[in-house]
């Protein structure tokens, strides 16, 4: 829903680092996107493409690296919440599993405590690949 | 020409979180308690804030930030109560963020304030991910939204300390079980407080006021 605003922030972070490193062009961007972030990756890429027009980042590949939720329980259990468990990679089932997590999913280990989410909501511009002059 | 990989390490939500923490510390410095009031369009956020201002205005210094696509309408309602008000027209944005709030707080007479109400944009999704620098997060749902509303938007209820099920006086007319809405919120977040309110009958309004007072006094 707020993909445009997020794309704008991604663009600014990319351009900041690109210009500090005297880039002549941004080739690609690796962005970590938590599966529980309220962001649609296709819309994000579309918005970014529009924003980056006529800039160093025009045409850059925005690679989305999907980050599954990691949960941690008081009992000591820590692990990736498998949103594809007991199903294939069918989208509907995945969404169902994720909303189960957002509701109340007991710890898979001790089954009586509610684990906390330690990752899976990030929108992180991890790194960029840029083109620089040979003597730079 | 050659290619180079450069680390960026910029997390959009963490950047907001850092700014929110800065806002929170600023409010702390002036002894102001911040409430982020969220909820769907028309759930009754503005009215609940107005009721709080009416009941607590003589006792506490209160300020308000009204956030909306066109925020002036709500802001004008707050100004009628003669409290310092900043209207944040978000234009195209569907939520307030810490950056917008930072600029609003700068214009507030924090010296004379105890309470800051931040009314978020009507939306149960986008405000979930963004802290503003508040001390308490409150989500308002009205019975007219349907009693499956809570289960359909679980994340926001996980992040709040109070849920208000509002307009309970019309629950029967819209064939909705208000208790189910409160129970669903408790199912998602056992630590959440739940109130049922109605401006028309006055039900629960005293509890809403008490929630504010207890939390403001606890930080004094």
């Amino acid at each position: 829903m707020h993909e445009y605003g997020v794309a704008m922030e991604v663009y600014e972070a990319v351009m900041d680092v690109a210009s500090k490193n005297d880039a002549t062009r941004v080739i690609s961007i690796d962005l970590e996107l938590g599966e529980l972030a309220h962001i649609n990756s296709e819309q994000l890429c579309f918005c970014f493409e529009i924003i980056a027009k006529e800039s160093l980042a025009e045409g850059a590949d925005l690679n989305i690296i999907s980050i599954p939720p990691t949960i941690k329980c008081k009992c000591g259990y820590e692990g990736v919440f498998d949103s594809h468990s007991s199903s294939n990679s069918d989208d509907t089932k995945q969404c169902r599993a994720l909303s189960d997590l957002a509701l109340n999913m007991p710890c898979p280990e001790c089954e009586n405590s509610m684990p906390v989410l330690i990752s899976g909501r990030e929108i992180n511009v991890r790194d960029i690949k840029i083109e620089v002059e040979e003597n730079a | 020409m050659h290619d180079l990989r450069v680390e960026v390490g910029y997390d959009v939500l963490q950047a907001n979180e850092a700014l929110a923490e800065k806002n929170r510390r600023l409010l702390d410095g002036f002894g102001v308690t911040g409430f982020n009031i969220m909820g769907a369009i028309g759930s009754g956020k503005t009215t609940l804030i107005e009721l709080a201002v009416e009941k607590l205005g003589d006792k506490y210094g209160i300020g308000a930030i009204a956030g909306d696509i066109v925020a002036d309408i709500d802001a004008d309602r707050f100004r009628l109560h003669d409290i310092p008000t900043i209207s944040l027209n978000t234009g195209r944005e569907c939520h307030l963020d810490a950056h917008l709030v930072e600029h609003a707080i700068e214009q507030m007479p924090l010296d004379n304030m105890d309470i800051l109400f931040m009314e978020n944009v009507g939306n149960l999704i986008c405000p979930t991910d963004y802290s503003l620098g508040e001390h308490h997060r409150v989500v308002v749902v009205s019975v007219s939204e349907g009693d499956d509303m809570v289960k359909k938007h679980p994340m926001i209820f996980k992040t709040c300390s109070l849920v208000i099920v509002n307009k309970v006086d019309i629950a029967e007319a819209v064939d909705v079980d208000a208790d189910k809405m409160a129970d669903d919120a408790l199912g998602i977040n056992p630590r959440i407080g739940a109130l049922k309110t109605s401006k028309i009958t006055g039900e629960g309004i005293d509890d809403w006021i008490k929630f504010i007072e207890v939390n403001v006094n606890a930080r004094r």
Side-chain angles (χ1 to χ4, degrees):
Chain A
M1 212 177 228
H2 46 252
E3 281 77 3
Y4 183 84
V6 169
M8 198 65 178
E9 273 198 73
V10 169
Y11 171 76
E12 282 165 6
V14 167
M15 293 305 279
D16 183 43
V17 173
S19 65
K20 276 179 186 154
N21 287 278
D22 301 318
T24 50
R25 189 167 76 91
V26 179
I27 300 163
S28 63
I29 300 138
D30 286 345
L31 181 110
E32 295 175 331
L33 187 63
E35 286 180 15
L36 289 179
H38 288 107
I39 292 295
N40 177 304
S41 56
E42 273 180 41
Q43 283 179 26
L44 184 67
C45 290
F46 176 72
C47 292
F48 183 84
E49 192 185 316
I50 303 293
I51 293 167
K53 271 202 195 315
E54 291 175 24
S55 79
L56 289 181
E58 176 165 4
D61 288 326
L62 183 54
N63 303 320
I64 307 285
I65 301 151
S66 188
I67 306 291
T70 308
I71 50 179
K72 189 176 181 176
C73 179
K74 276 185 277 188
C75 74
Y77 173 83
E78 185 178 321
V80 170
F81 177 75
D82 185 4
S83 54
H84 306 270
S85 64
S86 71
S87 74
N88 48 34
S89 59
D90 177 68
D91 270 358
T92 319
K93 282 182 183 164
Q94 178 179 351
C95 288
R96 181 66 238 162
L98 289 177
S99 65
D100 283 348
L101 176 65
L103 288 162
N104 259 343
M105 202 215 52
C107 172
E109 198 72 21
C110 68
E111 288 186 358
N112 55 17
S113 189
M114 209 184 359
V116 292
L117 196 66
I118 55 171
S119 78
R121 295 179 72 183
E122 50 278 275
I123 309 171
N124 183 35
V125 187
R126 195 176 72 186
D127 51 40
I128 58 176
K129 199 166 144 192
I130 54 174
E131 199 175 80
V132 290
E133 295 287 354
E134 211 52 69
N135 55 359
Chain B
M1 292 281 193
H2 67 281
D3 296 349
L4 189 67
R5 190 170 286 281
V6 191
E7 192 182 322
V8 181
Y10 179 88
D11 190 300
V12 173
L13 293 182
Q14 273 175 21
N16 180 77
E17 203 58 51
L19 207 48
E21 190 49 41
K22 194 179 150 209
N23 291 344
R24 196 172 290 117
R25 282 201 302 269
L26 181 66
L27 294 179
D28 285 343
F30 286 92
V32 176
T33 304
F35 295 88
N36 181 359
I37 313 292
M38 297 169 283
I41 296 167
S43 55
K45 299 182 291 297
T46 312
T47 299
L48 285 163
I49 294 171
E50 284 182 296
L51 287 167
V53 173
E54 280 166 23
K55 303 253 184 186
L56 296 171
D58 291 339
K59 231 166 140 182
Y60 302 94
I62 304 176
I65 292 170
D68 226 324
I69 304 297
V70 181
D72 295 339
I73 296 162
D74 287 348
D76 285 346
R77 281 171 63 179
F78 294 145
R79 288 191 186 106
L80 283 177
H81 296 273
D82 210 20
I83 59 167
T85 302
I86 303 290
S87 105
L88 282 181
N89 292 299
T90 59
R92 59 176 179 248
E93 284 295 339
C94 42
H95 59 271
L96 290 182
D97 63 28
H99 183 69
L100 285 167
V101 167
E102 180 189 28
H103 293 307
I105 293 179
E106 282 168 3
Q107 304 169 52
M108 290 239 132
L110 296 175
D111 262 340
N112 304 319
M113 281 168 49
D114 307 294
I115 299 170
L116 174 64
F117 289 115
M118 295 169 261
E119 181 180 343
N120 221 311
V121 180
N123 185 328
L124 284 171
I125 304 163
C126 308
T128 308
D129 288 337
Y130 289 83
S131 295
L132 309 178
E134 70 275 20
H135 300 91
H136 297 281
R137 291 164 70 84
V138 177
V139 54
V140 183
V141 286
S142 68
V143 293
S144 54
E145 293 160 42
D147 55 15
D148 48 5
M149 175 56 81
V150 174
K151 278 197 164 168
K152 288 201 286 196
H153 300 88
M155 282 309 276
I156 196 164
F157 297 91
K158 259 200 178 320
T159 69
C160 286
S161 56
L162 181 71
V163 54
I164 298 178
V165 180
N166 196 24
K167 307 188 190 181
V168 290
D169 54 291
I170 61 161
E172 206 179 314
V174 293
D175 193 21
V176 157
D177 182 353
D179 288 325
K180 179 189 181 299
M181 296 176 84
D183 289 345
D184 284 351
L186 282 162
I188 293 162
N189 177 2
R191 288 180 294 274
I192 205 167
L195 297 177
K196 290 186 294 176
T197 55
S198 160
K199 184 196 176 185
I200 304 299
T201 65
E203 179 180 345
I205 300 301
D206 286 345
D207 294 325
W208 161 229
I209 304 304
K210 199 170 143 198
F211 169 85
I212 299 164
E213 270 205 284
V214 165
N215 285 303
V216 170
N217 293 338
R219 299 189 60 257
R220 281 188 147 183

